[in-house]
Amino acid sequence: MNQTATEQVLISEVGMRDGLQSIKSIMPTEYKFKLIDALYEAGVREIEVCSFVPATLLPQMADAPEVVRYALRYPDLTVMALVPNLRGARNALQAGAHKLTLPVSASEAHSLANVRKTREQMVQEVRQIVALRNEIAPGVKIEAGISTAFGCTIQGMVSEDDVVRLASQLVAAGADETGLSDTTGYANPAQVRRLFRRVFAEIGDKCGAAHMHNTRGLGMANNLAAYDVGVRTFDASLGGLGGCPYAPGASGNVVTEDLVFMFEAMGIDTGINIDKLIGARVPLQAGVPEEAVYGMVAEAGVPLTFQQQV
Protein backbone atom coordinates (compact mmCIF):
# COMPACT_ATOMS: atom_id res chain seq x y z
CA MET A 1 0.00 0.00 0.00
CA ASN A 2 1.41 3.38 -0.95
CA GLN A 3 1.72 5.85 1.90
CA THR A 4 -0.43 8.33 -0.03
CA ALA A 5 -3.25 5.88 -0.75
CA THR A 6 -6.62 7.50 -0.22
CA GLU A 7 -8.86 5.17 -2.22
CA GLN A 8 -9.44 1.43 -2.03
CA VAL A 9 -10.49 -1.11 -4.62
CA LEU A 10 -11.30 -4.81 -4.42
CA ILE A 11 -9.48 -7.06 -6.87
CA SER A 12 -11.46 -10.27 -7.35
CA GLU A 13 -9.24 -13.08 -8.64
CA VAL A 14 -11.18 -15.12 -11.22
CA GLY A 15 -8.37 -17.12 -12.81
CA MET A 16 -9.14 -20.31 -10.92
CA ARG A 17 -12.52 -20.41 -12.65
CA ASP A 18 -12.45 -18.25 -15.77
CA GLY A 19 -8.84 -19.07 -16.47
CA LEU A 20 -8.69 -22.77 -15.76
CA GLN A 21 -11.96 -23.61 -17.49
CA SER A 22 -10.76 -21.97 -20.71
CA ILE A 23 -7.62 -24.04 -21.22
CA LYS A 24 -7.10 -27.65 -22.24
CA SER A 25 -4.96 -28.59 -19.24
CA ILE A 26 -6.57 -29.80 -16.02
CA MET A 27 -4.82 -28.45 -12.94
CA PRO A 28 -4.44 -31.16 -10.27
CA THR A 29 -6.42 -30.42 -7.13
CA GLU A 30 -3.33 -30.20 -4.93
CA TYR A 31 -1.96 -27.41 -7.14
CA LYS A 32 -5.25 -25.54 -6.85
CA PHE A 33 -4.75 -25.68 -3.08
CA LYS A 34 -1.22 -24.30 -3.48
CA LEU A 35 -2.51 -21.52 -5.71
CA ILE A 36 -5.16 -20.52 -3.16
CA ASP A 37 -2.47 -20.43 -0.47
CA ALA A 38 -0.21 -18.22 -2.61
CA LEU A 39 -2.98 -15.82 -3.58
CA TYR A 40 -4.10 -15.45 0.01
CA GLU A 41 -0.54 -14.89 1.18
CA ALA A 42 -0.25 -12.10 -1.40
CA GLY A 43 -3.29 -10.37 0.09
CA VAL A 44 -6.05 -11.42 -2.32
CA ARG A 45 -9.30 -11.54 -0.34
CA GLU A 46 -11.85 -12.59 -2.94
CA ILE A 47 -11.29 -15.59 -5.18
CA GLU A 48 -13.66 -17.21 -7.64
CA VAL A 49 -12.33 -20.69 -6.99
CA CYS A 50 -14.49 -22.78 -9.34
CA SER A 51 -17.75 -23.23 -11.19
CA PHE A 52 -20.40 -25.82 -10.36
CA VAL A 53 -21.11 -27.40 -13.73
CA PRO A 54 -21.23 -31.05 -14.86
CA ALA A 55 -17.77 -32.57 -15.11
CA THR A 56 -18.70 -33.92 -18.53
CA LEU A 57 -18.87 -30.33 -19.79
CA LEU A 58 -15.93 -28.86 -17.88
CA PRO A 59 -13.67 -31.56 -16.44
CA GLN A 60 -11.40 -28.77 -15.17
CA MET A 61 -14.05 -28.04 -12.52
CA ALA A 62 -14.76 -31.63 -11.43
CA ASP A 63 -13.23 -31.01 -7.97
CA ALA A 64 -15.30 -27.88 -7.24
CA PRO A 65 -16.73 -28.95 -3.83
CA GLU A 66 -13.30 -29.99 -2.59
CA VAL A 67 -11.70 -26.72 -3.72
CA VAL A 68 -14.41 -24.64 -1.99
CA ARG A 69 -13.98 -26.55 1.25
CA TYR A 70 -10.23 -26.01 1.16
CA ALA A 71 -10.56 -22.26 0.59
CA LEU A 72 -12.91 -21.96 3.55
CA ARG A 73 -9.94 -22.47 5.90
CA TYR A 74 -9.19 -18.75 5.48
CA PRO A 75 -11.79 -16.89 7.59
CA ASP A 76 -11.41 -13.49 5.91
CA LEU A 77 -11.38 -14.81 2.34
CA THR A 78 -14.56 -14.47 0.26
CA VAL A 79 -14.93 -17.81 -1.52
CA MET A 80 -16.88 -17.33 -4.72
CA ALA A 81 -18.24 -19.85 -7.22
CA LEU A 82 -19.91 -19.48 -10.59
CA VAL A 83 -23.24 -21.26 -10.98
CA PRO A 84 -25.18 -21.40 -14.26
CA ASN A 85 -28.44 -22.76 -12.85
CA LEU A 86 -30.41 -23.79 -9.77
CA ARG A 87 -28.76 -27.19 -9.52
CA GLY A 88 -25.30 -25.65 -9.55
CA ALA A 89 -26.38 -23.09 -6.96
CA ARG A 90 -27.63 -25.80 -4.62
CA ASN A 91 -24.35 -27.67 -4.90
CA ALA A 92 -22.32 -24.50 -4.30
CA LEU A 93 -24.39 -23.52 -1.27
CA GLN A 94 -24.05 -27.02 0.18
CA ALA A 95 -20.27 -26.82 -0.31
CA GLY A 96 -20.22 -23.58 1.70
CA ALA A 97 -19.44 -20.88 -0.90
CA HIS A 98 -19.80 -17.32 0.43
CA LYS A 99 -20.82 -15.76 -2.87
CA LEU A 100 -22.43 -17.07 -6.04
CA THR A 101 -22.01 -15.41 -9.40
CA LEU A 102 -24.37 -16.13 -12.29
CA PRO A 103 -23.61 -15.39 -15.96
CA VAL A 104 -26.61 -13.62 -17.49
CA SER A 105 -25.91 -12.61 -21.05
CA ALA A 106 -27.19 -9.39 -22.58
CA SER A 107 -26.88 -11.14 -25.95
CA GLU A 108 -29.70 -13.58 -26.63
CA ALA A 109 -27.49 -15.60 -28.99
CA HIS A 110 -24.70 -15.90 -26.42
CA SER A 111 -27.16 -16.78 -23.67
CA LEU A 112 -28.49 -19.72 -25.69
CA ALA A 113 -24.95 -20.88 -26.54
CA ASN A 114 -23.57 -20.45 -23.02
CA VAL A 115 -26.37 -21.64 -20.73
CA ARG A 116 -29.03 -22.83 -23.20
CA LYS A 117 -31.58 -20.39 -21.83
CA THR A 118 -33.05 -17.10 -23.00
CA ARG A 119 -32.38 -13.90 -21.08
CA GLU A 120 -35.86 -14.01 -19.60
CA GLN A 121 -35.32 -17.59 -18.46
CA MET A 122 -32.07 -16.60 -16.79
CA VAL A 123 -33.77 -13.78 -14.90
CA GLN A 124 -36.25 -16.36 -13.63
CA GLU A 125 -33.33 -18.66 -12.76
CA VAL A 126 -31.83 -15.85 -10.66
CA ARG A 127 -35.16 -15.42 -8.89
CA GLN A 128 -35.26 -19.14 -8.04
CA ILE A 129 -31.65 -19.14 -6.85
CA VAL A 130 -32.31 -16.14 -4.61
CA ALA A 131 -35.29 -17.99 -3.11
CA LEU A 132 -33.10 -21.06 -2.49
CA ARG A 133 -30.41 -18.86 -0.92
CA ASN A 134 -32.97 -17.22 1.34
CA GLU A 135 -34.15 -20.64 2.46
CA ILE A 136 -30.90 -22.47 3.19
CA ALA A 137 -28.03 -19.93 3.30
CA PRO A 138 -29.33 -16.38 3.84
CA GLY A 139 -25.86 -14.90 4.37
CA VAL A 140 -24.60 -15.81 0.89
CA LYS A 141 -24.38 -13.00 -1.67
CA ILE A 142 -25.75 -13.35 -5.19
CA GLU A 143 -24.00 -11.56 -8.04
CA ALA A 144 -25.63 -11.62 -11.47
CA GLY A 145 -22.94 -10.56 -13.90
CA ILE A 146 -24.11 -9.25 -17.27
CA SER A 147 -21.90 -10.91 -19.87
CA THR A 148 -21.45 -9.66 -23.45
CA ALA A 149 -22.53 -6.24 -22.15
CA PHE A 150 -20.35 -4.43 -24.70
CA GLY A 151 -20.86 -6.63 -27.76
CA CYS A 152 -21.05 -10.26 -28.82
CA THR A 153 -19.00 -12.37 -31.25
CA ILE A 154 -22.16 -14.28 -32.21
CA GLN A 155 -24.81 -11.55 -32.31
CA GLY A 156 -22.67 -8.48 -32.93
CA MET A 157 -24.12 -5.27 -31.47
CA VAL A 158 -25.76 -5.42 -28.03
CA SER A 159 -28.19 -2.64 -27.22
CA GLU A 160 -27.20 -0.51 -24.23
CA ASP A 161 -30.90 -0.18 -23.45
CA ASP A 162 -31.08 -3.98 -23.19
CA VAL A 163 -28.14 -4.00 -20.77
CA VAL A 164 -29.68 -1.34 -18.51
CA ARG A 165 -33.07 -3.05 -18.60
CA LEU A 166 -31.49 -6.41 -17.76
CA ALA A 167 -29.60 -4.89 -14.81
CA SER A 168 -32.88 -3.54 -13.44
CA GLN A 169 -34.60 -6.91 -13.91
CA LEU A 170 -31.80 -8.77 -12.12
CA VAL A 171 -31.92 -6.47 -9.11
CA ALA A 172 -35.71 -6.82 -9.04
CA ALA A 173 -35.21 -10.61 -9.08
CA GLY A 174 -33.20 -10.30 -5.86
CA ALA A 175 -29.57 -10.15 -6.98
CA ASP A 176 -27.40 -8.32 -4.44
CA GLU A 177 -25.34 -6.79 -7.22
CA THR A 178 -24.85 -6.91 -10.96
CA GLY A 179 -21.68 -5.99 -12.82
CA LEU A 180 -20.76 -5.65 -16.48
CA SER A 181 -18.54 -8.06 -18.38
CA ASP A 182 -16.69 -7.42 -21.63
CA THR A 183 -16.81 -11.12 -22.42
CA THR A 184 -15.65 -10.69 -26.00
CA GLY A 185 -13.08 -7.91 -25.61
CA TYR A 186 -15.14 -5.47 -27.70
CA ALA A 187 -15.33 -2.56 -25.23
CA ASN A 188 -13.58 0.80 -25.43
CA PRO A 189 -13.13 3.35 -22.59
CA ALA A 190 -15.78 5.80 -23.82
CA GLN A 191 -18.32 2.97 -24.07
CA VAL A 192 -17.36 1.68 -20.61
CA ARG A 193 -17.87 5.09 -19.00
CA ARG A 194 -21.19 5.64 -20.75
CA LEU A 195 -22.70 2.24 -19.95
CA PHE A 196 -21.53 2.07 -16.34
CA ARG A 197 -22.93 5.57 -15.77
CA ARG A 198 -26.29 4.43 -17.12
CA VAL A 199 -26.31 1.30 -14.97
CA PHE A 200 -25.34 3.28 -11.85
CA ALA A 201 -28.20 5.68 -12.58
CA GLU A 202 -30.60 2.73 -12.87
CA ILE A 203 -29.59 0.53 -9.90
CA GLY A 204 -27.29 2.69 -7.75
CA ASP A 205 -24.88 0.93 -5.41
CA LYS A 206 -26.02 -2.49 -6.60
CA CYS A 207 -23.83 -1.92 -9.64
CA GLY A 208 -20.93 -4.29 -9.06
CA ALA A 209 -17.72 -5.42 -10.71
CA ALA A 210 -16.06 -4.59 -14.00
CA HIS A 211 -14.96 -7.77 -15.73
CA MET A 212 -12.78 -6.77 -18.66
CA HIS A 213 -10.89 -8.79 -21.23
CA ASN A 214 -7.69 -7.68 -22.90
CA THR A 215 -8.43 -9.36 -26.23
CA ARG A 216 -7.70 -6.18 -28.20
CA GLY A 217 -5.34 -4.53 -25.75
CA LEU A 218 -7.85 -2.24 -24.02
CA GLY A 219 -8.46 -4.15 -20.80
CA MET A 220 -6.45 -1.86 -18.53
CA ALA A 221 -7.80 1.31 -20.15
CA ASN A 222 -11.33 -0.01 -19.77
CA ASN A 223 -10.79 -0.78 -16.08
CA LEU A 224 -9.45 2.71 -15.49
CA ALA A 225 -12.49 4.15 -17.29
CA ALA A 226 -14.76 2.08 -15.01
CA TYR A 227 -12.87 3.34 -11.96
CA ASP A 228 -13.31 6.93 -13.13
CA VAL A 229 -17.10 6.58 -13.02
CA GLY A 230 -17.30 4.87 -9.62
CA VAL A 231 -16.61 1.15 -10.02
CA ARG A 232 -14.56 -0.19 -7.11
CA THR A 233 -14.50 -3.97 -7.74
CA PHE A 234 -12.49 -5.41 -10.61
CA ASP A 235 -12.18 -8.99 -11.83
CA ALA A 236 -8.79 -10.15 -13.08
CA SER A 237 -6.92 -13.37 -13.74
CA LEU A 238 -3.44 -14.30 -12.56
CA GLY A 239 -1.19 -14.63 -15.58
CA GLY A 240 -4.01 -13.44 -17.84
CA LEU A 241 -5.54 -16.89 -18.26
CA GLY A 242 -9.12 -17.02 -19.39
CA GLY A 243 -11.85 -16.28 -21.85
CA CYS A 244 -15.23 -17.79 -22.67
CA PRO A 245 -15.49 -21.20 -24.35
CA TYR A 246 -18.85 -20.17 -25.87
CA ALA A 247 -17.71 -16.84 -27.33
CA PRO A 248 -15.35 -17.48 -30.27
CA GLY A 249 -12.18 -15.43 -30.11
CA ALA A 250 -12.85 -14.15 -26.59
CA SER A 251 -9.41 -14.63 -25.10
CA GLY A 252 -7.43 -12.72 -22.57
CA ASN A 253 -8.62 -11.73 -19.13
CA VAL A 254 -6.92 -8.70 -17.65
CA VAL A 255 -3.72 -9.75 -15.86
CA THR A 256 -4.14 -9.44 -12.09
CA GLU A 257 -0.51 -8.49 -11.56
CA ASP A 258 -0.69 -5.62 -14.06
CA LEU A 259 -4.00 -4.35 -12.66
CA VAL A 260 -2.72 -4.37 -9.08
CA PHE A 261 0.45 -2.58 -10.14
CA MET A 262 -1.52 0.10 -11.98
CA PHE A 263 -3.75 0.90 -9.02
CA GLU A 264 -0.96 0.78 -6.45
CA ALA A 265 1.27 3.01 -8.60
CA MET A 266 -1.60 5.51 -8.69
CA GLY A 267 -1.83 5.48 -4.89
CA ILE A 268 -5.00 3.37 -4.85
CA ASP A 269 -4.95 0.64 -2.21
CA THR A 270 -5.59 -2.95 -3.34
CA GLY A 271 -4.32 -4.65 -0.18
CA ILE A 272 -2.22 -6.93 -2.39
CA ASN A 273 1.56 -7.26 -2.32
CA ILE A 274 2.76 -7.13 -5.92
CA ASP A 275 5.93 -9.17 -5.34
CA LYS A 276 4.04 -11.96 -3.59
CA LEU A 277 1.37 -11.85 -6.30
CA ILE A 278 4.00 -12.33 -8.99
CA GLY A 279 5.32 -15.20 -6.87
CA ALA A 280 1.88 -16.85 -7.07
CA ARG A 281 2.61 -17.50 -10.73
CA VAL A 282 4.94 -20.32 -9.60
CA PRO A 283 2.19 -22.72 -8.44
CA LEU A 284 0.03 -21.58 -11.36
CA GLN A 285 2.66 -22.54 -13.92
CA ALA A 286 3.57 -25.69 -12.04
CA GLY A 287 -0.06 -26.79 -12.12
CA VAL A 288 -0.55 -26.15 -15.85
CA PRO A 289 3.00 -26.27 -17.25
CA GLU A 290 1.90 -26.50 -20.89
CA GLU A 291 -0.10 -23.27 -20.79
CA ALA A 292 1.23 -19.80 -21.60
CA VAL A 293 0.91 -17.02 -19.02
CA TYR A 294 1.05 -13.31 -19.65
CA GLY A 295 1.80 -10.07 -17.87
CA MET A 296 3.87 -6.97 -18.49
CA VAL A 297 4.92 -6.34 -14.88
CA ALA A 298 6.05 -9.92 -14.30
CA GLU A 299 8.14 -9.75 -17.47
CA ALA A 300 9.60 -6.25 -17.05
CA GLY A 301 9.86 -6.20 -13.27
CA VAL A 302 8.69 -3.67 -10.71
CA PRO A 303 10.33 -0.23 -11.18
CA LEU A 304 12.92 0.90 -8.65
CA THR A 305 10.76 3.97 -8.00
CA PHE A 306 7.79 1.84 -6.89
CA GLN A 307 7.23 1.59 -3.14
CA GLN A 308 4.68 -0.59 -1.42
CA GLN A 309 4.06 -1.27 2.25
CA VAL A 310 1.76 -4.32 2.01
Side-chain angles (χ1 to χ4, degrees):
M1 180 176 63
N2 289 346
Q3 291 180 347
T4 58
T6 58
E7 295 283 348
Q8 292 184 330
V9 293
L10 173 65
I11 305 299
S12 182
E13 172 60 44
V14 302
M16 292 193 64
R17 193 278 305 175
D18 199 351
L20 295 184
Q21 77 172 26
S22 303
I23 59 178
K24 293 181 179 180
S25 304
I26 297 177
M27 180 180 279
T29 304
E30 60 268 27
Y31 282 95
K32 293 183 180 181
F33 294 170
K34 293 177 181 179
L35 183 53
I36 290 170
D37 293 341
L39 289 167
Y40 182 84
E41 176 63 23
V44 177
R45 289 298 179 266
E46 181 170 289
I47 305 175
E48 188 179 48
V49 298
C50 64
S51 59
F52 281 81
V53 295
T56 52
L57 295 178
L58 286 176
Q60 300 92 331
M61 298 291 118
D63 55 0
E66 191 176 356
V67 173
V68 168
R69 286 192 290 268
Y70 182 87
L72 291 174
R73 66 178 51 205
Y74 296 110
D76 58 342
L77 174 66
T78 298
V79 180
M80 185 164 58
L82 181 138
V83 298
N85 51 39
L86 185 63
R87 179 179 179 181
R90 185 180 297 276
N91 291 337
L93 292 171
Q94 290 174 344
H98 299 136
K99 184 176 182 180
L100 308 185
T101 180
L102 291 83
V104 184
S105 183
S107 159
E108 188 80 346
H110 180 262
S111 185
L112 292 170
N114 191 36
V115 292
R116 300 176 186 174
K117 290 183 174 67
T118 66
R119 292 174 297 187
E120 290 74 17
Q121 288 173 326
M122 280 304 296
V123 172
Q124 179 59 25
E125 196 81 16
V126 170
R127 188 172 289 110
Q128 293 175 344
I129 290 171
V130 168
L132 176 66
R133 182 277 308 271
N134 293 345
E135 177 185 348
I136 67 174
V140 172
K141 289 188 176 182
I142 304 293
E143 175 191 41
I146 301 180
S147 54
T148 64
F150 301 93
C152 174
T153 51
I154 305 172
Q155 176 178 301
M157 293 290 294
V158 173
S159 165
E160 291 186 4
D161 289 344
D162 285 352
V163 175
V164 175
R165 187 180 306 111
L166 184 56
S168 180
Q169 291 171 343
L170 291 168
V171 169
D176 297 300
E177 61 184 60
T178 180
L180 302 182
S181 299
D182 183 23
T183 312
T184 57
Y186 277 14
N188 64 72
Q191 183 185 19
V192 168
R193 290 190 186 96
R194 184 174 63 247
L195 189 51
F196 265 111
R197 281 192 182 112
R198 291 192 61 184
V199 173
F200 269 118
E202 183 72 18
I203 63 173
D205 62 4
K206 290 187 180 293
C207 183
H211 181 110
M212 299 298 170
H213 283 205
N214 200 43
T215 313
R216 291 167 179 83
L218 292 179
M220 296 288 283
N222 288 333
N223 274 319
L224 186 56
Y227 176 84
D228 287 343
V229 296
V231 176
R232 292 297 181 267
T233 301
F234 300 87
D235 294 349
S237 175
L238 189 73
L241 290 183
C244 176
Y246 300 103
S251 61
N253 275 304
V254 168
V255 177
T256 308
E257 306 93 295
D258 293 348
L259 187 63
V260 168
F261 172 74
M262 181 187 76
F263 280 128
E264 291 284 346
M266 293 170 62
I268 299 167
D269 182 14
T270 66
I272 299 172
N273 182 286
I274 187 66
D275 292 322
K276 291 182 179 180
L277 184 64
I278 292 172
R281 293 163 67 99
V282 173
L284 171 64
Q285 292 179 282
V288 286
E290 297 180 358
E291 304 294 337
V293 295
Y294 308 93
M296 302 300 291
V297 175
E299 180 177 343
V302 176
L304 294 176
T305 55
F306 180 75
Q307 295 181 348
Q308 188 176 39
Q309 292 183 335
V310 172

